[in-house]
Amino acid sequence: MPALRLLLLLAALCPPVPGRRPQRDAPGKIGLSVAPAHGSLVGIYNGEEFVFEESSWYIVNLLKLLWHYGLNPLRMYMWVEDVLDKFMRIYRYQTHDYAFSSNERLLHALGGNDFIRMLNQTIDEAMQKAGFSHKFINEVVCPAMRVNYGQGVNINGFVGAISLAGVESGLWSVKGGNKLVCTGLIYASKAEVIPGTVLSIEPKIRPRPTGDPVKLYQVTYNTTSGLTGDTYDIVVIAAPLSRKMANITFKNFDPPVPDFPNPYHQTVTTFVHGRLNTSFFGYGDPSAFHFGAIFTTENPKLFINSLGVVSPVEDVGSEGKLPLQSAVWKVFSKEVLTKEQLNLLFSSYDSVKVKKWLAYPHYSPPEKCPPVILHDKIYYLNGIERAASAMEMSAIAAKNAALLAYHRWYGNTDRIDQEDLHEKLKTEL
């Protein structure tokens, strides 16, 4: 779904920060091509009318933004940039092989008490304290939260800032589909992949060839060949530890590995190949409707969070063209859409695909992240999702766990949980 580019018209007056998004280099390293995002016009709908309609004319949008929100969009850009500038320090820290034993320590090393404070207040509270207007928060910030996390402005301030960072221009995807990044990285790493479902993990003590005892972990998993398992020195868990998701049993641990009751938020994605009923959104004449993405404000009467035209994973040269006839639309909602609701949204359709999934945590500050170290040599990546759930966050958590496991294995304590790294590394230039 296209970003809220309309928010960045004023931000375009500010120069971009160099070095943003190092993860963009990954596709090129594994032979994949980056496809530019397909732009389309955005409308923000409150359940009765559009509170903002993007124009194809830059100057018109600029005047609309100034009229509706004053300098709030520009101030938001600067506010988010300040958060991102501090967050970007993690790449420098990891380049120098520094690791952190908890998610809170990692965040504190990046943004100090400000980042920790953002975990303990809502994005609404954080932005009100920063002086943003209620109108701007309700009509611009809230729709961004709803499309990115299926929740409103009661999510924590840190994930809220990450969500707003996603409205930057320069979004990209991979030709052929973003899933190729995962398969490509696995292939490039030459890792042995065992398709199966992990059922349990249990600590074991085995003798070395020298006779000395060594601590290992017995991992039991179910494959197409049946129940099997193996022993490992180090275990890294890269799936949410929830009974509804990665239902892993930790056997005979002393002390026991705690349960993590943090709930995940259900999002329903519905793909519809059909023709949008523009009159539902107040446009009796379909030819006057030019939006490729519709975001929504908080309204209990609304049964969708957002909807937008889906671009093909291959570049077919349809940039800027919104099909007036049938198109593939992606609808985000909290519940499965009924036939009556589909008939309200679409004047006709011939195909519907529904995916109901627990997409991200249900945020409710104050947040407490699960530990990174579950046991002596068991590491957990997904605890960082309590701070913010995003692909980039997962990549950062993975590298942090790898560095942490390495340093703890070899006793490199000087590379773990170091304070004032920002100042320390500046002196090394």
Side-chain angles (χ1 to χ4, degrees):
M1 183 165 289
L4 277 170
R5 292 175 296 106
L6 59 95
L7 303 184
L8 300 167
L9 296 169
L10 288 175
L13 300 174
C14 300
V17 177
R20 180 60 49 80
R21 293 191 180 95
Q23 295 299 322
R24 183 168 180 165
D25 296 336
K29 292 179 180 179
I30 54 178
L32 300 176
S33 300
V34 171
H38 291 273
S40 60
L41 298 181
V42 177
I44 300 177
Y45 186 67
N46 69 0
E48 298 177 358
E49 61 180 355
F50 282 96
V51 295
F52 194 96
E53 298 179 326
E54 186 182 14
S55 167
S56 56
W57 292 87
Y58 175 88
I59 188 64
V60 173
N61 287 321
L62 196 63
L63 294 173
K64 281 185 176 182
L65 285 169
L66 287 170
W67 177 258
H68 284 283
Y69 309 114
L71 293 179
N72 276 273
L74 177 59
R75 292 183 58 246
M76 186 199 77
Y77 175 87
M78 297 171 67
W79 185 75
V80 172
E81 279 297 308
D82 181 60
V83 173
L84 288 182
D85 285 345
K86 293 174 181 176
F87 182 77
M88 291 290 288
R89 295 172 182 174
I90 188 61
Y91 301 109
R92 184 169 177 81
Y93 297 169
Q94 291 186 337
T95 298
H96 287 80
D97 295 337
Y98 286 100
F100 303 91
S101 63
S102 75
N103 295 301
E104 283 84 1
R105 285 181 179 270
L106 185 153
L107 292 174
H108 190 272
L110 301 179
N113 292 331
D114 288 344
F115 274 18
I116 302 301
R117 192 177 300 113
M118 292 178 76
L119 288 181
N120 297 321
Q121 62 183 180
T122 67
I123 185 65
D124 186 25
E125 293 168 339
M127 296 195 77
Q128 282 195 49
K129 288 181 180 178
F132 291 93
S133 70
H134 287 284
K135 179 180 174 67
F136 181 75
I137 293 172
N138 293 335
E139 295 184 2
V140 174
V141 176
C142 183
M145 304 302 110
R146 285 168 61 84
V147 68
N148 287 329
Y149 291 103
Q151 298 159 76
V153 290
N154 288 326
I155 66 175
N156 77 66
F158 186 77
V159 71
I162 296 299
S163 183
L164 292 174
V167 308
E168 284 193 63
S169 57
L171 297 179
W172 56 276
S173 59
V174 171
K175 288 184 179 179
N178 291 340
K179 66 179 182 180
L180 296 179
V181 175
C182 300
T183 55
L185 289 173
I186 290 173
Y187 178 80
S189 71
K190 297 181 173 59
E192 179 188 1
V193 179
I194 304 173
T197 302
V198 175
L199 302 178
S200 65
I201 303 173
E202 184 176 8
K204 297 288 185 179
I205 297 179
R206 298 282 189 265
R208 296 181 187 273
T210 60
D212 297 327
V214 59
K215 295 179 180 180
L216 300 171
Y217 296 101
Q218 176 72 33
V219 179
T220 302
Y221 43 89
N222 201 8
T223 69
T224 53
S225 302
L227 198 64
T228 185
D230 207 342
T231 54
Y232 299 88
D233 295 296
I234 296 173
V235 174
V236 179
I237 299 173
L241 288 176
S242 165
R243 295 303 176 196
K244 294 183 178 180
M245 302 178 84
N247 190 11
I248 299 174
T249 300
F250 295 90
K251 295 182 176 179
N252 301 321
F253 280 83
D254 186 21
V257 174
D259 290 328
F260 304 113
N262 301 324
Y264 271 65
H265 187 86
Q266 175 181 281
T267 282
V268 180
T269 305
T270 306
F271 293 94
V272 181
H273 181 248
R275 190 171 188 175
L276 195 68
N277 177 20
T278 60
S279 64
F280 178 81
F281 299 99
Y283 276 77
D285 180 7
S287 64
F289 187 91
H290 300 294
F291 304 118
I294 301 172
F295 300 148
T296 63
T297 63
E298 197 74 54
N299 184 337
K301 295 181 181 179
L302 276 172
F303 52 86
I304 62 169
N305 289 339
S306 64
L307 74 160
V309 173
V310 179
S311 301
V313 295
E314 297 290 349
D315 186 7
V316 293
S318 59
E319 174 69 23
K321 295 181 180 179
L322 177 63
L324 294 177
Q325 303 300 320
S326 291
V328 178
W329 292 83
K330 178 172 65 175
V331 186
F332 285 156
S333 59
K334 293 182 180 179
E335 303 292 341
V336 176
L337 298 178
T338 65
K339 187 174 182 179
E340 291 75 17
Q341 290 170 335
L342 284 171
N343 289 336
L344 285 174
L345 287 175
F346 297 92
S347 56
S348 64
Y349 58 90
D350 53 45
S351 177
V352 178
K353 300 293 183 183
V354 180
K355 177 65 176 178
K356 183 168 63 174
W357 56 311
L358 298 173
Y360 18 64
H362 180 79
Y363 293 105
S364 181
E367 304 282 7
K368 181 170 175 56
C369 298
V372 175
I373 304 171
L374 296 184
H375 193 254
D376 186 26
K377 294 182 179 67
I378 299 181
Y379 300 90
Y380 180 43
L381 305 188
N382 291 71
I384 204 168
E385 285 192 279
R386 293 307 311 177
S389 178
M391 289 178 63
E392 191 75 6
M393 297 295 288
S394 296
I396 289 167
K399 185 160 186 177
N400 181 66
L403 290 169
L404 183 62
Y406 178 88
H407 293 321
R408 293 182 75 235
W409 183 274
Y410 289 103
N412 302 331
T413 56
D414 61 322
R415 294 284 165 172
I416 301 173
D417 293 337
Q418 297 299 304
E419 292 289 338
D420 301 320
L421 280 177
H422 182 60
E423 296 300 322
K424 179 180 179 181
L425 292 177
K426 281 202 298 187
T427 61
E428 292 183 4
L429 290 177

